[in-house]
């Protein structure tokens, strides 16, 4: 096969080459390449995650041209490429979120509980549209391995503590896990009962809307941010619509190249530039980290599309099998233009109202 034919069958997003055009069409059908993927600022290659992009520009087997440019002009946190080394230095100082304030506030939070789940005159809870939640677990059961929520924190987008309390589990605690939780038996003796915590948090999240009425977009219900929220909500025995949840453990751009979750500790160090969960852990610190990760992902500037998801009815037939002949006549660039994402990019939250 000559080089021109090979180029014709080259994916315009990830640069994979195929022997036949039909193979490229099938690749586009299942790859869901889109403007929402992390993209190399030098060669414009699309990557499925920021970890893949990091490997592409840093190693262990990086593209040499991209590695050279990244070493002098690349931000090691957001992986953006700046115009010059001086611009990189200036940007990276702003890009790195300092952990100093978070550490001070976390220690203040340890001094007592906070409950700002107040309501306004018309009965709806005051506060921002986005909140972050984190829990710390103590152990139950005969061997202490059953996770029970012993402490919970809820913060707003400005990192103000909305709710922070020790939680009294419904069954006996057999392991307080003090080395990591800092929780002692006396902290839970007169703590807030789990049922009361559930009601306060759920009422605040729903913000006056019935659970069955909460919509994916719009409405008054708040967006809930966290890391491993399935586990936290399960331990709190709470339900909340998946369409209003933003989980940094399950967000494809923040996952490993193997599609497994990264730890919050790693994500904070790699993308925010400071360390958390050293010694006794505070749920406030986890809330701050997940909120910062969320706002960073949300602030990405991507092309605005009327129907950005592959699951949108208007996009479902873009790569339908009955269009095979038509698709094979398209150029790789044309196919990329009609390709859409298979996950909800958080940048779309910034476009809601």
């Amino acid at each position: 096969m000559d080089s021109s034919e090979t180029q014709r069958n080259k994916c315009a997003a990830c640069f994979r080459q195929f022997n036949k055009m039909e193979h490229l069409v099938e690749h586009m059908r299942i790859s869901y390449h889109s403007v929402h993927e992390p993209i190399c600022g030098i060669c414009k290659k699309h990557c499925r995650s920021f970890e893949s992009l990091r490997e592409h520009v840093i190693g262990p087997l990086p593209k040499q041209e991209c590695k050279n440019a990244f070493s002098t002009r690349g931000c090691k946190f957001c992986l953006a490429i700046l115009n010059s080394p001086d611009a990189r230095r200036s940007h990276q100082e702003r890009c790195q979120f300092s952990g100093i304030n978070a550490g001070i506030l976390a220690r203040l939070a340890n001094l007592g509980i906070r409950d700002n789940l107040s309501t306004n005159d018309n009965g709806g809870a005051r506060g921002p549209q986005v909140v972050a939640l984190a829990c710390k677990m103590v152990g139950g059961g005969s061997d202490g391995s059953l996770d029970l929520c012993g402490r919970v924190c809820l913060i707003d987008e400005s990192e103000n503590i909305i709710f922070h309390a020790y939680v009294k589990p419904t069954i006996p605690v057999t392991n307080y896990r003090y080395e990591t939780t800092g929780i002692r038996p006396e902290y839970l003796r007169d703590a807030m009962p789990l049922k009361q915590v559930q009601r306060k948090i759920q009422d605040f999240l729903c913000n006056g809307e019935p659970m069955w009425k909460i919509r994916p977009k719009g409405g008054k219900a708040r967006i809930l941010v966290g890391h491993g929220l399935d586990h936290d909500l399960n331990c709190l025995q709470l339900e909340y619509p998946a369409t209003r949840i933003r989980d940094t453990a399950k967000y494809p751009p923040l996952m490993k190249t193997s599609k497994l979750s990264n730890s919050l500790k790693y994500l904070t160090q790699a993308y925010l530039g400071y360390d958390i969960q050293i010694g006794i852990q505070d749920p406030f610190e986890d809330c701050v980290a997940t909120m910062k990760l969320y706002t960073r992902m949300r602030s990405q500037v991507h092309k605005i599309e009327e129907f950005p998801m592959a699951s949108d009815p208007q996009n479902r037939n873009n790569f339908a099998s009955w269009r095979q002949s038509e698709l094979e006549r398209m150029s790789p660039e044309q196919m990329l233009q009609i390709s859409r994402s298979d996950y909800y990019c958080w940048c779309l939250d910034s476009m809601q109202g």
Side-chain angles (χ1 to χ4, degrees), residues 220-233:
K220 295 186 291 183
R222 291 174 165 86
I223 290 173
L224 178 61
V225 174
H227 189 84
L229 278 170
D230 286 348
H231 182 245
D232 285 353
L233 293 175

Side-chain angles (χ1 to χ4, degrees), residues 45-59:
K45 178 182 179 180
H46 290 232
C47 300
R48 287 302 285 175
S49 68
F50 282 102
E51 287 299 288
S52 299
L53 178 56
R54 195 181 293 275
E55 289 180 7
H56 172 76
V57 294
I58 297 176

Side-chain angles (χ1 to χ4, degrees), residues 325-343:
S325 296
E326 177 190 354
L327 291 165
E328 288 183 20
R329 290 193 296 271
M330 287 185 180
S331 69
E333 291 75 21
Q334 288 172 324
M335 278 192 277
L336 180 57
Q337 282 185 346
I338 66 169
S339 184
R340 293 294 184 269
S341 177
D342 60 343
Y343 65 86

